[in-house]
Amino acid sequence: MEFGDTFSGVLVKEDPAEPGQPALTSPTNDWHLANPEKESITITLHGASNLPSTHKGNVPNPYVLVKTTSDEENKHPAQGITHTPKEPTHSPTWEEKVTVEIDSSKASKEDVSLIVADKDTKEILAKYNVPVKYLHPFHHYHCALLLPRKKDPTGTKLYATIIRKHSLIPRYGGVNYTGLEVFLKGINEPLAQPDGDIIAVARIVNNMDAYKEEVRNRSINAPPFPLSIITFPNPTMEDFDVPQVTNQGYPQVSAPGGPPERPNWEASYLFQGRDGATAFSDDTALVIEYYKSGSGDLESIPKPLGFSVLPLTNRVYQQLVAESCRRGVQIENLPIQDTLLRTTSGGLPTVQLGLQLINSERPDVFLTASTTNGLPLLDSKLVGQPGTIKEPWVSSPSRTEQKISVVAVAHQENSFIAPDRKTSYVDLASLPKDKLPSHEAVAEILPEKQHDRPIIEEVQDLETDNYRAALQKMADDILSLRRHVSNLEAENSNLRRNLARQEDVGRALFQDIDLDIMTKAEIVDRILALKQKLSAGAQEMARMKDRVQRLQNELIRKNDREKDLVILQRAHHHQQMLLRKYQAKVAKMHALEDAARQQEKVIERMERLLEEKVKDQFPEVPRGAGHGDSWSKDLYTTLLMENMRLRDELGKASSYHSPIILQQQALPDMLSASTEKLSLISKLEKAEARIHALEFQLEESARRWGQEKQGYNTRLLEQDLGFVRSPSSLILQDFLLDEKEKGDKEVKNSKLYTARKNQ
């Protein structure tokens, strides 16, 4: 999406696969089956086109994450992650296969999410949710997943092949095996002029002649295999339908084989279901087409490089079911036809194959590169063009004909068959009437001299040949009837739907009409009236839909407005709580100020009383008296010590309230006998102590007032900008601020008390 679209601001947590390491996937990546009580979805990610830029306008460096809806809900990491391309691009190519695993009991409720993300910013560029219940088991979906965008009508496309795998291979009715596995190893000899990496597309063709005709009539711009374009974010079940009858089979695509000098695929194909059931007949063949690997865009037309054909006749089936070939057979040199490729020796390139007929619903072993080399070889006579290899009852001469030909060679002079005549198989039903032999044709080929038949057992051999021909005809008829039944089932389904619609219309049209007494004109008028009524009903329905849509929009707007009001109400309630809290703090501060003023008044009164008492008990002494000087010195020393004790007690009592700066005065060198000097010194000490205390209180009050003002300004600015804090965060912040202020005060008081004690 472009910046501001659906996925704007949504980020992923997973990183792409590390360079040099395989893509992240589940352990069942290369298996044809899922684990017991599990299902696996294997996705081959070919590439993408027209990816959007990042929110900063940069070219993305994309990679794909594959996860299920359960993984997203439970916040589990992705089960499959690909690499990033070598350079940032809008049209990346991956060609990587990943697999996700889900519980079979929950498969119908799960979706597989394909998320294209950017490596640098971790933002989501595109997302596709594929419902698992729409996927047919073991079918290869070659898809172009289209996601429209607001500012680009072309949209973003993700090219992928999706396969849903069960834990068991289902049996097709009437077939004693479950599937046919084909293992394509690679080209046997190096190529003289390599043309890049090659992909191999394998399919089983039921009618080789019809397939050839269809390939000849295929458009130049047609892709080599059917591509399904599925539109997101709301795909339908019809997008994942599988055709019941097809002459081209269901193609399976391999990964690009490399190196270009000698491509090696080691790809395994599993044909089961209808593909497996229609194999092993006269006109059935395994076709492997070779194309030059493209840029990951399945809509581009790759360059064809040739094809290989392996007839799947009854004799191939007989060899596969033989006891010595239970583990499979191998074909060493299957030629690539209709190609310009040549090997370094100048010949046509050949490939190596492995075939295995699977009889179990859950086989233990599949073909690999190591097991294929040890398999017995398939008879080279069975490897050729379809039509050139016929079954014994169709093209090869019977044992009767062979015996007759042998006897004819031995007894040319007595045989009733002309020595130079060749046996051939002619279908008389396919000949026109004017080409049929005359009624005297048998008499013309008989010799003039009649002899007895030379070999008695010819009758039994001819009867065996007749049985074989009848069985072959029955097999062909069964296959033809199966195809015809499939076509009839599809046509019958369409006719049933059409009939149901017509019956509903007819029932509504003639439910209250007697057709026997109505003329044709009346019926036409009735139909026109019903059409007008239907049109009016459709208009009324559209009007009601519009009204419902408007009411829904209005309801949504009212719900949004109600949410805003609830948020404002909560913010107002929280502000009221803060206001009451701050008012309580202000009232407490006023009470403390009043207490401090009262203490100052009490201290002043006590100082005045002390001065009066000193004056009464110790009158002034003249300056010249030495005894008075020593007495005044002792008195002053006593008073200073008492003053220090009282100040220490006062400092201890007020250590948890407001600190008072106490300063001890040193004993002056020359004491004056005059009480006026003592009084001035005492007043000076009191004034300095009071000045220090007031300065400290003023500084603390100014700091507290500045913090509260800054806090109010910050909250007011946040409220204007729409950032409303939750009550829990505000209360926690106020609590932390109060704790911090208390901690600062305690630290300062402890420092002052320690300094005063040291002095």
Side-chain angles (χ1 to χ4, degrees):
M1 300 289 103
E2 298 288 350
F3 183 66
D5 286 352
T6 306
F7 305 112
S8 175
V10 182
L11 304 179
V12 296
K13 298 180 180 179
E14 296 86 350
D15 294 323
E18 295 294 334
Q21 299 293 330
L24 178 64
T25 182
S26 67
T28 60
N29 190 33
D30 293 327
W31 296 0
H32 289 297
L33 295 176
N35 291 321
E37 299 182 358
K38 297 284 186 179
E39 289 191 14
S40 60
I41 310 298
T42 299
I43 303 170
T44 303
L45 297 160
H46 302 288
S49 63
N50 198 26
L51 285 177
S53 302
T54 62
H55 70 283
K56 295 182 179 179
N58 298 327
V59 179
N61 195 6
Y63 64 102
V64 182
L65 300 92
V66 183
K67 58 174 64 176
T68 62
T69 51
S70 298
D71 296 337
E72 293 182 335
E73 292 174 357
N74 299 326
K75 297 182 179 180
H76 292 166
Q79 299 188 39
I81 304 177
T82 67
H83 295 82
T84 57
K86 295 181 180 179
E87 296 180 356
T89 177
H90 292 282
S91 300
T93 299
W94 295 290
E95 293 296 347
E96 296 182 4
K97 182 165 64 174
V98 298
T99 299
V100 296
E101 195 174 51
I102 55 179
D103 294 334
S104 57
S105 59
K106 301 178 181 179
S108 59
K109 301 178 183 179
E110 292 281 358
D111 290 354
V112 177
S113 298
L114 307 178
I115 304 172
V116 184
D118 179 59
K119 175 184 177 182
D120 300 326
T121 61
K122 295 295 188 298
E123 61 183 277
I124 296 179
L125 305 175
K127 184 177 181 181
Y128 307 86
N129 286 340
V130 180
V132 177
K133 62 182 178 182
Y134 292 169
L135 301 176
H136 291 260
F138 296 101
H139 181 73
H140 291 244
Y141 290 93
H142 308 290
C143 309
L145 310 180
L146 174 62
L147 184 62
R149 287 156 50 189
K150 294 181 180 179
K151 299 181 181 179
D152 190 350
T154 305
T156 300
K157 288 186 179 180
L158 179 66
Y159 302 100
T161 298
I162 306 174
I163 312 168
R164 179 184 179 183
K165 301 176 183 178
H166 284 179
S167 58
L168 299 175
I169 302 177
R171 284 189 181 272
Y172 198 82
V175 183
N176 57 357
Y177 57 90
T178 57
L180 174 67
E181 184 187 10
V182 179
F183 185 81
L184 176 61
K185 187 173 182 181
I187 295 180
N188 295 322
E189 298 181 9
L191 299 177
Q193 295 180 352
D195 197 10
D197 294 340
I198 301 175
I199 61 173
V201 181
R203 67 183 84 202
I204 291 181
V205 179
N206 299 328
N207 190 338
M208 193 63 190
D209 295 333
Y211 173 72
K212 289 181 178 180
E213 184 67 23
E214 192 169 357
V215 170
R216 281 194 296 267
N217 297 331
R218 183 186 295 172
S219 174
I220 300 176
N221 298 326
F225 46 82
L227 181 65
S228 301
I229 300 178
I230 304 175
T231 304
F232 285 80
N234 297 314
T236 61
M237 184 180 295
E238 288 76 11
D239 296 332
F240 298 90
D241 283 343
V242 178
Q244 295 297 324
V245 180
T246 173
N247 289 328
Q248 296 188 15
Y250 303 110
Q252 302 181 23
V253 184
S254 72
E261 294 78 13
R262 190 177 179 181
N264 188 27
W265 293 280
E266 294 188 358
S268 180
Y269 307 96
L270 177 64
F271 298 98
Q272 53 83 42
R274 191 177 292 273
D275 269 344
T278 55
F280 305 113
S281 62
D282 283 345
D283 207 19
T284 303
L286 169 68
V287 180
I288 303 177
E289 302 171 350
Y290 307 97
Y291 297 92
K292 181 179 179 181
S293 179
S295 59
D297 185 356
L298 297 184
E299 292 181 328
S300 62
I301 308 302
K303 177 183 177 182
L305 301 178
F307 62 90
S308 299
V309 178
L310 177 64
L312 298 178
T313 61
N314 188 59
R315 284 193 284 177
V316 176
Y317 173 76
Q318 294 297 332
Q319 188 163 354
L320 287 174
V321 298
E323 187 65 29
S324 60
C325 302
R326 289 290 184 181
R327 295 172 52 246
V329 298
Q330 66 168 322
I331 301 97
E332 284 188 332
N333 298 307
L334 183 65
I336 299 179
Q337 307 174 19
D338 193 16
T339 180
L340 299 177
L341 299 176
R342 294 293 183 271
T343 61
T344 53
S345 61
L348 288 175
T350 58
V351 295
Q352 182 178 356
L353 289 180
L355 295 181
Q356 180 187 11
L357 199 64
I358 301 175
N359 299 316
S360 173
E361 294 181 352
R362 185 171 180 83
D364 297 330
V365 180
F366 290 102
L367 294 178
T368 60
S370 59
T371 58
T372 304
N373 294 330
L375 297 177
L377 296 177
L378 183 68
D379 189 359
S380 59
K381 296 180 181 179
L382 303 180
V383 180
Q385 295 287 344
T388 60
I389 303 175
K390 295 292 184 180
E391 298 302 323
W393 55 82
V394 178
S395 62
S396 61
S398 64
R399 288 189 297 172
T400 303
E401 292 173 343
Q402 294 175 0
K403 292 180 180 180
I404 291 175
S405 61
V406 170
V407 174
V409 172
H411 307 280
Q412 293 181 4
E413 69 279 3
N414 296 327
S415 177
F416 61 89
I417 299 178
D420 57 346
R421 189 170 184 83
K422 297 181 179 179
T423 60
S424 62
Y425 175 80
V426 179
D427 190 0
L428 298 179
S430 62
L431 294 176
K433 294 182 179 181
D434 54 351
K435 299 294 182 180
L436 293 175
S438 62
H439 62 282
E440 298 178 353
V442 178
E444 292 176 357
I445 64 174
L446 291 176
E448 296 179 359
K449 187 178 181 180
Q450 300 290 335
H451 297 278
D452 294 335
R453 298 178 66 87
I455 301 176
I456 304 300
E457 57 267 16
E458 290 176 4
V459 177
Q460 185 178 359
D461 294 336
L462 289 174
E463 186 177 359
T464 303
D465 292 341
N466 292 335
Y467 280 132
R468 289 178 177 173
L471 289 175
Q472 174 64 20
K473 186 177 180 181
M474 288 174 61
D476 294 339
D477 292 342
I478 289 172
L479 295 177
S480 177
L481 287 174
R482 284 181 179 176
R483 289 192 289 268
H484 188 56
V485 166
S486 299
N487 292 329
L488 289 178
E489 286 177 354
E491 186 178 358
N492 191 12
S493 178
N494 294 329
L495 290 176
R496 285 179 184 276
R497 288 195 294 269
N498 295 333
L499 180 61
R501 289 196 294 268
Q502 295 296 333
E503 287 180 352
D504 293 338
V505 174
R507 193 179 298 108
L509 180 63
F510 301 112
Q511 60 182 356
D512 56 348
I513 298 175
D514 190 358
L515 298 178
D516 297 335
I517 61 175
M518 291 186 66
T519 62
K520 184 177 180 179
E522 291 177 348
I523 293 175
V524 171
D525 294 339
R526 179 67 176 176
I527 291 174
L528 292 176
L530 289 175
K531 284 185 176 179
Q532 293 177 358
K533 186 177 180 181
L534 179 62
S535 177
Q539 293 178 359
E540 182 68 17
M541 179 65 69
R543 189 178 65 82
M544 295 301 294
K545 286 183 178 179
D546 293 339
R547 184 179 178 184
V548 169
Q549 185 66 32
R550 288 195 300 271
L551 291 175
Q552 288 179 350
N553 295 336
E554 185 67 23
L555 180 61
I556 291 172
R557 286 195 295 270
K558 288 184 177 180
N559 289 335
D560 295 339
R561 199 175 296 115
E562 184 178 359
K563 290 180 181 178
D564 295 338
L565 290 176
V566 171
I567 293 173
L568 290 175
Q569 185 178 3
R570 291 177 180 175
H572 178 69
H573 179 67
H574 179 65
Q575 289 177 357
Q576 292 293 330
M577 291 175 59
L578 291 177
L579 181 59
R580 287 193 294 270
K581 181 179 178 181
Y582 293 144
Q583 287 176 352
K585 286 185 178 181
V586 171
K588 185 177 180 181
M589 185 176 64
H590 289 320
L592 291 175
E593 289 178 355
D594 294 338
R597 292 192 189 95
Q598 294 294 332
Q599 289 179 359
E600 288 178 0
K601 292 179 180 180
V602 170
I603 291 171
E604 290 177 356
R605 292 180 59 186
M606 290 179 65
E607 288 176 351
R608 285 196 298 269
L609 291 174
L610 180 61
E611 289 177 0
E612 292 176 357
K613 187 175 181 180
V614 169
K615 289 179 180 180
D616 293 339
Q617 293 181 1
F618 305 101
E620 293 184 356
V621 181
R623 282 184 179 270
H627 180 72
D629 292 340
S630 61
W631 180 78
S632 298
K633 182 178 179 180
D634 295 337
L635 176 62
Y636 187 74
T637 303
T638 304
L639 291 176
L640 285 179
M641 291 178 65
E642 184 67 19
N643 193 9
M644 288 174 58
R645 186 181 64 78
L646 293 175
R647 287 180 184 275
D648 289 339
E649 293 180 0
L650 182 61
K652 292 179 182 179
S654 62
S655 60
Y656 296 99
H657 299 287
S658 60
I660 299 175
I661 300 176
L662 300 176
Q663 186 173 5
Q664 183 179 356
Q665 296 292 331
L667 188 65
D669 297 336
M670 298 296 296
L671 291 175
S672 174
S674 176
T675 57
E676 182 179 0
K677 186 175 181 178
L678 293 175
S679 177
L680 291 175
I681 291 174
S682 177
K683 290 181 179 181
L684 181 60
E685 290 178 357
K686 289 189 294 181
E688 288 179 355
R690 186 174 182 184
I691 288 171
H692 286 299
L694 292 176
E695 287 179 353
F696 184 80
Q697 291 180 0
L698 181 60
E699 182 180 356
E700 290 295 324
S701 300
R703 185 181 295 107
R704 192 182 304 109
W705 177 80
Q707 290 177 355
E708 293 178 357
K709 181 180 179 182
Q710 183 64 29
Y712 286 133
N713 291 333
T714 303
R715 294 191 183 102
L716 183 60
L717 182 60
E718 289 178 352
Q719 187 174 3
D720 293 338
L721 294 177
F723 298 102
V724 181
R725 299 185 182 180
S726 62
S728 60
S729 64
L730 289 173
I731 293 171
L732 180 60
Q733 182 180 5
D734 294 336
F735 176 75
L736 293 176
L737 288 175
D738 293 342
E739 292 295 327
K740 183 178 179 182
E741 291 176 0
K742 291 180 180 179
D744 293 341
K745 289 181 179 180
E746 291 179 359
V747 170
K748 290 181 180 179
N749 291 334
S750 62
K751 288 182 178 179
L752 289 173
Y753 177 74
T754 304
R756 186 174 63 249
K757 187 174 182 181
N758 293 332
Q759 289 177 1

